[in-house]
Structure formats: C-alpha cells, structure tokens
Amino acid sequence: MHQIPLKNRWKIPRSTLHLFVFRPDLPERWMQLPMQLDPLDDEGNLLFPDDKNWNKKPIVPFDRLSFFDERFGAKFDGKGEGPCRSTNVVEFDTKRGYGYLASCPEDYVPKPFAEPVTLNEKQRMVTAKYYKYNYSERNHLVFDNIHLADPAFQNFYPVASQSDLFIVGDVKNFFTLHFDSDDIDAFINHKRSGQLGLMGGLKFYLRILYFKIKMSLMPEVNFFDDSVFMPMILTLPVDAKKYLRRGSGIYYTWLGDKDTEWLWDQSELENLDLAVLDPLFNGASRMPSEKYCNRSKCRYKILGRNHGRLFALHFEISRKAAELGFFPRLIRDMPAVEKMIKHPVSQYPAQNRIGVYFETAQMPEGEHTWDFWIHFPEQEKAACNVNVRARFVTAAPSPMEKK
C-alpha cells in the first residue's frame, strides 16, 4: 500500500477501500470487482491479527493489495461522478485494461462476493474452481493429492499425489542428519478467507529424537481460485559453508498420476547432476543458466498436462541465492539419487517419483526467500509478472510504478 497514491492514505479504514471497473455501457457506469487487503509485517510476512476488527482500522504501508487485472476494463472518460461518489480514487493501468481503487463513504454498501475457495478441515480438502488440494495430515507443507478440473470444469482428475519433504544435513566432523516426514511437523494454525481466496499461516517444527525445535522457516500458504502460492523465508543462524558438507539440502518430491503428461521440453530448469550430492565433491556445481535469470531473480517452471488442462509449478529465487546453489534442480531418476546418498528420499517408493533438490551447503548466514506457485495457465506462455501503474486521478501527481 505504500505505493498507492491515495490522499491521507494512512487515515483510511481498510473496510472503506473497494475496487471498480468503468463500464460506460451500463446505466450505473461502475461495477465493483473483488479485491483483498492483507496485513503484512515490515519483512513481508502475512499477519493474522488477534484483533477481530483489524479490517476497520486504517491501512498501513505494508498492507498487501491483491486483485485480478484480467477483469479490468475501459479507461474512465472523466465525465460524471467517480465510483461510489468517492473523490479519492486511484487508477490502475495494466496491459489488460484499467481498474479504479476508491475510498468510499462509510455508508456505501459494497457488493457481496461469494468466497471462491472453500476448506473442509475434517477432510483437509481445499476446493477451488480449477483444483482440489488435499494436504497431508501430519505435514501441511505437502499434499496427499491434487485433483485438476478439466477444461469444461465438469470433472476433477488426479494429477499428482504423495508429496513429501526430506532434509539432509551432512555436518562436518560429525554424522549425517536425515529428516523425513516423521521428524517434520507443519500445521496451518491460522486461517482467513477473503474475496480472492484462503490465506493460511503455518507453524513448522523439526523433531530431533525426543526434542521439538522450532526452525526459522516461515511459510505462508495462499489458495486462490486458479493457483496455490507459498512464499517462504529461511533464516540460517550460521554460515552453512563452515558447518555443512556438499550433499546437504532439501528434497521436495511427488508422484505424478498415470494420466499426467510432463512437458519437459517446455519446462525451464536444470537437471540434477548427481556429483553435487557427493560430500567429497570439490568441483564447482553447475550454476543456474542465464536464460532463467535476470539481474535480481531466477525463475523456473515445470509444465504438465492432464485431461487437456495445463498446470505449472513455478519457483522464483533471488539471483544471489541461486548462484550459491540454492535453486531447484530436476530429479527424474529417484532410485539413482537414493543409491547415491544411501538413504530413502521419501517414505514412498522411489520408482516413478519426480522432485526437485535445493542445495544449502553453500548458503551464508541470514534470511533467504523464495516463492513457489502451482497455477493453471490457459495458455502455455501465460505470464505471472504484471506491471501495474497507479495514478491518483483527481489530484494527478506523478505516476508511480509498481512491479
């Protein structure tokens, strides 16, 4: 919200902000769109305030505004009144059209929107238009099953199952630590439903023998009608290079359904070089390809198809972290990996499993962030990154650009 040029914006109650599209073909000329405002802390972590009236309090700089720009429309012609009789309006300009954020009078009655994502906590099932996501009972960071809607949205078909997380810490002058599903507890302990989707905050624990240690891993999960989004922050209290040998890292694996076609020729990521997993390996591991990176970010994609529906797994990581080996490397031969590290990667059989590996042995002390998306593009070249220009339409200060 610090990039939204509203007048006196830090005095505006969150509940009075609404999003509109200009419709000159309608008598009322304005139509309200769904949007969502979520409170974040100054480091970008999703907050779940104890105060039930948090939405009625004024916006703050780190609030996150979300909306669907594909629903934007025509540019306001400047004639007549703005939306909801507001004199405090910001125009959003994207390649797909224009939207208008307005601070409406408190007596304005907003349009009610049905919640696009539902949760059955007993079955641990999240249901949206494009998918059904059944998260694991013991570890909510992974899933038991994902079902995908067909192009006609008539039926759901299984696309992947048996997701699992495995962590290897090969400590110098010590022994190798293996942490599998029995050692990891991750629970969605906070939930909030909004006009765009379901937000969740997770607590993550790592069990070592009879102890339970809270790791510095801060995951967030966002379920939208057409995507799942998990931004992550990993904090390392020490320089891993001083304490860990090569082969230390994180494995995220799953089993593809028999009807799932993986489009490897259209996917964008490196294949895992098994030599990287050797603790005695002293050579330079393959760095991320320049074709997946710009100056600050590296982006990777796994693309698949099931019953005519495309789906994509996207990873976005800082260029600095990727150059130290912390980027996804594709694993298509899981038995070979298990033979190399002499340990099962998952509680499930290795045959036909797919996964990615992130090396952590070269990571420095501090915070490291990355984003993980599961989404369902209608076109294979659908872009995730959208530039939005925000302009105060009545006072018209200099345009501000948000990326």
Side-chain angles (χ1 to χ4, degrees):
M1 290 300 298
H2 70 282
Q3 299 189 39
I4 305 299
L6 289 166
K7 289 191 304 182
N8 300 317
R9 56 181 180 256
W10 312 135
K11 297 181 180 180
I12 298 174
R14 295 182 176 107
S15 58
T16 65
L17 284 178
H18 303 284
L19 185 65
F20 298 86
V21 63
F22 180 58
R23 290 289 303 274
D25 56 316
L26 299 178
E28 57 273 22
R29 306 214 315 157
W30 293 99
M31 183 175 71
Q32 188 181 340
L33 297 180
M35 55 157 266
Q36 193 160 306
L37 197 60
D38 293 305
L40 309 180
D41 64 20
D42 57 2
E43 294 181 345
N45 302 311
L46 185 66
L47 297 177
F48 295 87
D50 293 329
D51 186 354
K52 295 181 179 180
N53 294 318
W54 66 269
N55 193 42
K56 298 179 181 179
K57 294 185 175 181
I59 58 176
V60 297
F62 296 104
D63 282 349
R64 180 179 66 194
L65 179 66
S66 304
F67 49 80
F68 296 117
D69 75 303
E70 64 266 23
R71 301 181 186 180
F72 283 3
K75 182 179 176 64
F76 178 42
D77 57 13
K79 300 176 181 179
E81 294 181 338
C84 70
R85 300 181 183 272
S86 174
T87 59
N88 201 358
V89 181
V90 167
E91 177 185 82
F92 292 138
D93 176 10
T94 74
K95 291 183 178 180
R96 297 180 178 182
Y98 295 85
Y100 294 86
L101 181 69
S103 174
C104 298
E106 292 191 4
D107 60 355
Y108 171 74
V109 180
K111 176 182 177 180
F113 291 99
E115 295 180 357
V117 179
T118 60
L119 168 64
N120 184 320
E121 293 193 52
K122 185 176 181 180
Q123 297 180 359
R124 307 182 310 281
M125 180 68 73
V126 177
T127 302
K129 179 180 179 181
Y130 283 78
Y131 63 91
K132 290 185 177 181
Y133 186 101
N134 178 212
Y135 55 85
S136 173
E137 181 176 9
R138 180 67 180 274
N139 183 353
H140 294 178
L141 271 175
V142 297
F143 58 83
D144 285 342
N145 293 280
I146 296 180
H147 287 70
L148 190 62
D150 63 26
F153 298 101
Q154 297 296 314
N155 298 291
F156 287 92
Y157 295 99
V159 63
S161 62
Q162 299 179 359
S163 169
D164 214 349
L165 187 67
F166 180 63
I167 302 173
V168 176
D170 193 340
V171 184
K172 294 179 179 179
N173 303 317
F174 200 54
F175 52 85
T176 303
L177 302 173
H178 298 107
F179 304 109
D180 56 24
S181 298
D182 291 334
D183 305 306
I184 298 170
D185 290 344
F187 297 100
I188 300 176
N189 64 323
H190 295 291
K191 307 177 189 70
R192 181 172 65 250
S193 185
Q195 294 180 2
L196 298 190
L198 176 70
M199 312 293 112
L202 288 86
K203 280 190 175 181
F204 184 92
Y205 292 96
L206 183 66
R207 295 180 180 274
I208 302 177
L209 299 178
Y210 299 104
F211 302 97
K212 188 165 66 173
I213 299 175
K214 185 177 182 181
M215 290 185 66
S216 296
L217 178 63
M218 293 178 284
E220 165 193 338
V221 59
N222 303 260
F223 296 102
F224 302 108
D225 67 343
D226 63 349
S227 61
V228 180
F229 175 45
M230 295 184 182
M232 310 281 280
I233 300 176
L234 174 65
T235 302
L236 295 178
V238 296
D239 187 344
K241 192 173 183 179
K242 294 181 179 179
Y243 296 94
L244 296 179
R245 298 202 299 171
R246 302 299 289 271
S248 298
I250 301 172
Y251 295 84
Y252 182 71
T253 66
W254 65 91
L255 179 68
D257 185 79
K258 59 181 178 62
D259 293 327
T260 298
E261 175 190 7
W262 298 100
L263 307 177
W264 300 124
D265 59 330
Q266 299 173 49
S267 298
E268 299 172 356
L269 75 169
E270 311 283 349
N271 291 315
L272 174 65
D273 182 355
L274 292 180
V276 174
L277 306 179
D278 184 355
L280 302 179
F281 176 63
N282 293 319
S285 62
R286 183 187 302 171
M287 289 296 101
S289 172
E290 289 290 335
K291 63 183 178 181
Y292 305 139
C293 302
N294 58 28
R295 292 183 61 184
S296 61
K297 297 285 187 179
C298 294
R299 298 181 177 93
Y300 305 91
K301 177 179 70 175
I302 299 177
L303 193 65
R305 183 186 290 113
N306 185 286
H307 285 84
R309 171 75 70 186
L310 285 168
F311 66 95
L313 281 65
H314 272 268
F315 303 86
E316 181 172 301
I317 298 168
S318 74
R319 175 74 181 256
K320 182 178 179 181
E323 289 179 345
L324 293 172
F326 192 79
F327 64 96
R329 304 178 216 207
L330 177 64
I331 305 172
R332 295 175 61 183
D333 189 348
M334 206 65 64
V337 170
E338 294 191 342
K339 182 178 179 180
M340 182 71 184
I341 67 174
K342 299 179 175 60
H343 196 282
V345 169
S346 170
Q347 61 180 316
Y348 303 105
Q351 197 65 34
N352 298 322
R353 287 187 71 77
I354 302 168
V356 290
Y357 171 74
F358 295 80
E359 185 181 63
T360 57
Q362 308 294 308
M363 298 296 286
E365 176 183 353
E367 286 190 348
H368 309 285
T369 64
W370 75 99
D371 292 340
F372 173 50
W373 284 89
I374 303 174
H375 76 104
F376 312 98
E378 297 294 339
Q379 300 178 357
E380 295 184 6
K381 295 184 179 180
C384 290
N385 300 295
V386 178
N387 290 336
V388 181
R389 289 176 294 275
R391 184 175 67 91
F392 188 67
V393 296
T394 54
S398 300
M400 301 178 68
E401 185 171 301
K402 176 183 179 183
K403 295 184 178 180

